[in-house]
Amino acid sequence: MSYQLTIEPLGQTIDIEPGQTVLDACLRSGIWLPHACGHGLCGTCKVHVQEGEVDHGASSSFALMDFERDEGHCLACCAMPEADLMIEADVDEEPDAQYLPLEDYVGEVVALRDLTPTIKGVWLRTDRPVRFQAGQYANLAVPGVEGRRAFSLANAPGENVVELHVRKVEGGAATGYIHEHLREGECLPLSAPFGRFYVRKSARVPMIFLAGGSGLSSPKSMIAELLAEGCEQPITLVHGARHAGELYCSDWFEELAARHANFRYVPALSDAHDGQGRCETGFVHEVLARLYAGQDGRADFRGHKAYLCGPPPMIEACIGTLMQGRLFERDIHVEKFLTAAQAQEGRRSPLFKAI
């Protein structure tokens, strides 16, 4: 017997099964709720229960404190219904969001390739095309690993094979398996789509994509879709790595830049001694500031949209540079790459209230 779940301020009512989390029920109905870690650790998916009772499941006492539970709050990623529910969530309607329902797939590994010494490319042919918005991610089940792991989708929507870029994390069970044991022909379950990282196409303004390491995956998907659709707005991609051996897909992006006058590809190496003449030297935020510097030496990013994807230190540095150049929160969109340990710490940007 299912329960009824009403989501305010949308006023939508959906079915939710016993043992199903509030977040899962919403996502599978195409209703997006703010969320991040998905394991009750970060508190991003906190909602207010206006009517009904929930089982809080594995919600962390740090992410959801006792007084918050007493006040009727819950974490949507862990809370399960004990009766019909009405919740109030912080949901913003956005014109460019597609609100695609969460679905389950099975993917067969059809190709594996070492993109760098620490990043492996994985290509999965799914049992049916995966519906997602460029920039979103999938949750992948890995043999012998509890729970699922999030990986951004690097291919453009509409393709028959899913492409993932997996960075090996020291001590990481999931990434360790993928790098050391995964073989072609193996089948892996996955769920998609997740996330709110997507291009705000309706803005029709120049775009800046800033990526670090395997954070290139989402921008690759987004840029591929934009150019395939005939986007004429200027697009700049700055991809940062420590040295040339950690750059990947550079030939692919250089070919795109040769074919599309509105696309600029800028590889950036933080190791000043790498000796790559075709690459900028410095961290991503330093290269960014130089690219957009005016005659007075100051960068000005007004009139742009910026999309950032990578490790937290890169994200924070780039946000600071963009804000110094007069681009602010409404025009900066972020996808942080967090390990499971970092997600548990519940890290948030000191510069943004929303990330």
Side-chain angles (χ1 to χ4, degrees):
M1 173 184 173
S2 61
Y3 295 112
Q4 296 290 293
L5 169 62
T6 302
I7 303 97
E8 297 292 354
L10 301 178
Q12 290 184 246
T13 298
I14 62 174
D15 290 336
I16 181 170
E17 302 297 327
Q20 184 180 25
T21 67
V22 170
L23 179 61
D24 187 74
C26 288
L27 294 179
R28 290 184 184 279
S29 297
I31 299 171
W32 183 86
L33 298 183
H35 62 281
C37 75
H39 305 292
L41 302 173
C42 70
T44 304
C45 64
K46 195 176 297 178
V47 299
H48 184 248
V49 180
Q50 296 181 318
E51 295 180 11
E53 298 292 334
V54 299
D55 178 343
H56 290 284
S59 300
S60 163
S61 59
F62 295 99
L64 185 69
M65 297 185 180
D66 289 341
F67 77 88
E68 292 177 303
R69 299 176 194 230
D70 293 341
E71 291 175 351
H73 290 89
C74 72
L75 300 184
C77 70
C78 293
M80 295 167 285
E82 294 184 335
D84 290 344
L85 297 176
M86 178 183 291
I87 63 168
E88 183 178 12
D90 184 15
V91 181
D92 293 325
E93 295 285 346
E94 296 191 32
D96 295 293
Q98 293 183 9
Y99 303 105
L100 299 170
L102 175 65
E103 297 184 60
D104 297 318
Y105 304 86
V106 175
E108 179 187 357
V109 179
V110 293
L112 295 164
R113 186 165 75 246
D114 290 330
L115 301 175
T116 77
T118 59
I119 299 173
K120 185 177 287 287
V122 180
W123 285 263
L124 302 163
R125 180 179 292 113
T126 51
D127 52 337
R128 63 191 188 283
V130 176
R131 298 176 62 207
F132 71 99
Q133 199 163 358
Q136 292 187 301
Y137 65 90
N139 276 351
L140 186 70
V142 178
V145 178
E146 184 178 356
R148 297 194 174 196
R149 298 295 185 270
F151 297 104
S152 294
L153 296 154
N155 56 291
E159 298 180 0
N160 293 328
V161 176
V162 166
E163 177 183 345
L164 309 176
H165 301 164
V166 181
R167 179 178 68 88
K168 188 174 183 179
V169 177
E170 189 67 30
T175 63
Y177 181 91
I178 290 171
H179 274 257
E180 298 167 12
H181 304 292
L182 188 64
R183 296 291 181 266
E184 290 185 15
E186 194 166 342
C187 291
L188 301 176
L190 65 147
S191 301
F194 290 94
R196 293 282 270 186
F197 192 53
Y198 55 86
V199 180
R200 273 61 178 181
K201 297 176 183 178
S202 62
R204 299 186 181 278
V205 296
M207 290 162 277
I208 303 169
F209 291 87
L210 306 172
S214 61
L216 184 65
S217 49
S218 287
K220 180 177 181 291
S221 174
M222 298 157 95
I223 292 169
E225 182 183 56
L226 285 168
L227 295 178
E229 290 176 345
C231 172
E232 297 180 351
Q233 297 294 334
I235 302 170
T236 293
L237 166 65
V238 182
H239 180 213
R242 282 177 294 179
H243 52 77
E246 293 183 341
L247 281 176
Y248 68 97
C249 291
S250 53
D251 291 344
W252 188 81
F253 282 112
E254 287 171 354
E255 183 182 336
L256 278 184
R259 289 192 285 113
H260 299 275
N262 62 321
F263 174 56
R264 173 172 58 167
Y265 168 61
V266 184
L269 304 178
S270 58
D271 186 346
H273 304 290
D274 197 70
Q276 292 290 311
R278 66 187 180 91
C279 299
E280 292 285 335
T281 299
F283 292 103
V284 172
H285 68 284
E286 296 170 335
V287 172
L288 172 68
R290 292 201 301 268
L291 288 174
Y292 287 85
Q295 292 184 345
D296 61 358
R298 297 180 181 179
D300 189 342
F301 303 106
R302 286 175 294 179
H304 290 74
K305 285 278 189 184
Y307 300 89
L308 287 60
C309 192
M314 186 215 87
I315 296 293
E316 297 298 339
C318 288
I319 289 174
T321 297
L322 290 166
M323 293 181 74
Q324 289 170 14
R326 303 182 70 177
L327 195 72
F328 301 108
E329 185 170 353
R330 71 174 185 176
D331 293 315
I332 302 175
H333 307 282
V334 173
E335 182 78 292
K336 281 189 181 181
F337 271 31
L338 299 175
T339 65
Q342 290 168 336
Q344 188 166 356
E345 293 172 10
R347 294 186 181 183
R348 286 185 175 273
S349 169
L351 300 174
F352 274 20
K353 65 181 182 180
I355 64 171

